[in-house]
Amino acid sequence: MAGSPAQQRIKVDRIACTAHGFCAQVAADLFDLDDFGYPIVRHEHVGRHMSSAKRAVKLCPARALYLPSTE
Amino acid sequence: MRAHEQALVHALHAARLTGRGGAGFPTSIKVAALFDNEADLIVNACDGERGAAKDAWVIEYHLREVAEVVELLCAGGSRTVWWAAHRGSSTAGRLAEVGLPLLEVPHRYVSSEGSALVNLARTGVAKPLELRQPTADGGRDSRGRRIEPTVVFNAETLWRIAQIMQYGPAWFAAQGTDEEPGPRLVSLSGYLSHPTVCQTQTGVPLSELFATAGGLPSDAQMILIGGLGGGFVPAIHVPGLAWGRQWLAPLGAGVGSGVVEVLDPRLCPLVFMGQLIDYAAGESAGQCGPCMFGLPALADQWYRLVVQRNSPEEFEHLWHGVQQRLDLLRGRGACHYPDGVSGWVRSGLSVFAEHIHAHNQGFCPTGGHQPARR
């Protein structure tokens, strides 16, 4: 299933996202917020930020973050 | 996949046919996915882009060939087929007349986007889907509901498949440039004596395309290629240009869905752009925050930049603000609508920079109409 961690990306389901802003709190190394509170992904390729990526996916109240399969 | 299906995929691969709806995805891959997943099929005859008329042209003159290809792709009727056209359009009328299963698409820019058609066919809502995996494989929407395998083909693409079956891949690939082979349709509209749909190929000089529409008027100044997802090309460049990515990409345009619109030189281009940015903001499906809030914010910033007189410092600040807003519209929607609008406005800022500066000095080079604050 999961390929090499170096290729792992994090994606925002833009329809599901309703700007709770948790991601920018729990994974500040990966996310900023725009002026309307929607996430700006700083590093789409997760790389060494894997642990905060997983934390953000887990804690997003809208279930809008996901780690697509790297195949 | 059965032998004759494999042969078709092979022929499409050899012909190097790509989708004629705008995205330019290799058709052989899509057809293979259709067969592998026994997917249902949607024919997109919506002419969704601004100024597009070629899907209507295909349905009017080549419906029989398209229907034959659809029959073949659907294994003789064992899979569901929808023919998508805008509600009340002449194309919808024609399809209904001959008894084809019509998918009536509401009049909104994004409603004819591929995933929006899938959504409309499956759930009755014409809004794009965020696809965590391709719909050909059977995806899931943002609420986790399963979307049955569905593939969308542009009407012209299906007609090209019919031609490749009739004349062979070599015939097809020999036309146009090596990079973008095959015959193509281009819709020519706007400030022209005879707006038309012309049959052409890449590598053909733009002046020859315009000749089919009565020629490019001598007072034309600006051309919009690719509609709301395209870019502006100054008319003075036309003599050196041909249809195709290699000529258009350096100017921020591309063949896309094959639409060319000549702007009326008597109308201030900033009025034209302002009206279209307002229109674009209203056409968002309202699902993704960056688009739903970003496009109206862009419109507001645009008007502040071009309508009022600004000091050089204010101007610099507003210009930078619009650029930042355009950056925020990129790659942040479920569909590529905000990306397209972002590129189109950026192209306008570039080609109309002098005009925008003139407005800030309090005069309009076009004279006549001035953009008014809404």
Side-chain angles (χ1 to χ4, degrees), chain B residues 107-149:
Chain B
H107 288 275
R108 175 176 259 180
Y109 185 90
V110 291
S111 61
S112 58
E113 187 265 346
S115 71
L117 292 180
V118 172
N119 201 3
L120 178 64
R122 297 298 184 187
T123 74
V125 179
K127 290 183 171 196
L129 296 164
E130 166 98 23
L131 298 165
R132 299 188 183 195
Q133 63 192 66
T135 51
D137 311 341
R140 285 189 187 278
D141 70 5
S142 300
R143 285 190 267 166
R145 291 179 303 188
R146 184 173 152 75
I147 303 289
E148 292 297 317

Side-chain angles (χ1 to χ4, degrees), chain B residues 164-195:
Chain B
I164 290 166
M165 288 165 59
Q166 190 175 356
Y167 305 115
W171 167 86
F172 183 89
Q175 300 178 62
T177 61
D178 193 48
E179 185 189 18
E180 296 168 307
R184 287 167 190 272
L185 296 175
V186 176
S187 311
L188 299 158
S189 66
Y191 189 68
L192 290 163
S193 62
H194 297 85

